[in-house]
Structures are given as structure tokens and as C-alpha cells.
Amino acid sequence: MGLPTVKDAVMYLVKYGIKADIGNPGSVMPHLGGVVVAVNTHKASLTEKTLVGTVCAPQKDGMTACESLASLIATYWCSQGAETRWGEYSFDSKAAMHMMKVYGTWTNTETDT
């Protein structure tokens, strides 16, 4: 498998039953009616790509909703060959949003011969 694109990652998360979209760095989404994840490229090279999913949940859904979805995304990305980490939590009081980051790093093991 090659390195995933953000568009592909979003498409597969949606197929997995997760509300996902391509993220807009630095934006908050106070209009959300539920828990979602915004996916962006964190860093990339020719041989490695790290995607970051920012899980966002309205205050009414709570921090536990962020943790649950972050865990689900990390599990899914692991099943797709990524090394994952998650847990950077924050709360935006202005938008009343819980947020947690999930990172997935894929390494391209394919070589040209």
C-alpha cells in the first residue's frame, strides 16, 4: 500500500461509519450537531506520511465522546498499517468544543527495483 492522501483517509473513515471531512487548519466548528473528525496532513515525505485527525465534539457530548472516537480512529488506522498515537486534548470555551488529536503515520515500504 502506498501513502494515503487526506481525501482517501476521509473517504475510508466515512465508509467505516465515522463522520469525517477534510479539515481547515485552525478552524473551529461551533455549528456541529455531533462528534466529527477533521483530517489534515501533519507532515509528509517521499517515504512517510503522518495524518492528523482532530476530533471535535460539542460540549454537550463531552470529553468522553472525543476519547471514544479518537480510540476508534486509532484502531482503524492501525488496521490500515499506520502507527498511531492520540490524546492531545483541549477545550475551546469560546466555541464550547472538546477537541482531541489522533496521529497516524504510514511508512512506504514499496521500493523500485
Side-chain angles (χ1 to χ4, degrees):
M1 175 180 162
L3 301 176
T5 65
V6 170
K7 185 177 178 180
D8 289 339
V10 167
M11 180 182 68
Y12 289 119
L13 287 172
V14 168
K15 283 185 180 180
Y16 193 62
I18 295 171
K19 291 181 183 179
D21 205 347
I22 295 172
N24 184 4
S27 67
V28 291
M29 298 172 269
H31 60 283
L32 295 178
V35 185
V36 300
V37 62
V39 181
N40 289 299
T41 300
H42 180 65
K43 61 182 176 177
S45 70
L46 293 175
T47 58
E48 188 174 274
K49 181 178 269 186
T50 301
L51 299 180
V52 58
T54 304
V55 178
C56 302
Q59 184 174 9
K60 68 178 178 61
D61 293 319
M63 181 180 70
T64 303
C66 277
E67 292 172 338
S68 295
L69 187 58
S71 178
L72 188 62
I73 292 166
T75 299
Y76 178 70
W77 281 354
C78 279
S79 76
Q80 300 303 305
E83 291 185 26
T84 61
R85 66 182 173 85
W86 61 281
E88 292 178 31
Y89 169 80
S90 63
F91 181 76
D92 183 327
S93 59
K94 185 175 182 180
M97 299 288 292
H98 297 276
M99 291 178 262
M100 184 170 282
K101 301 218 185 250
V102 180
Y103 296 89
T105 301
W106 285 263
T107 304
N108 191 354
T109 57
E110 298 175 358
T111 57
D112 294 333
T113 53

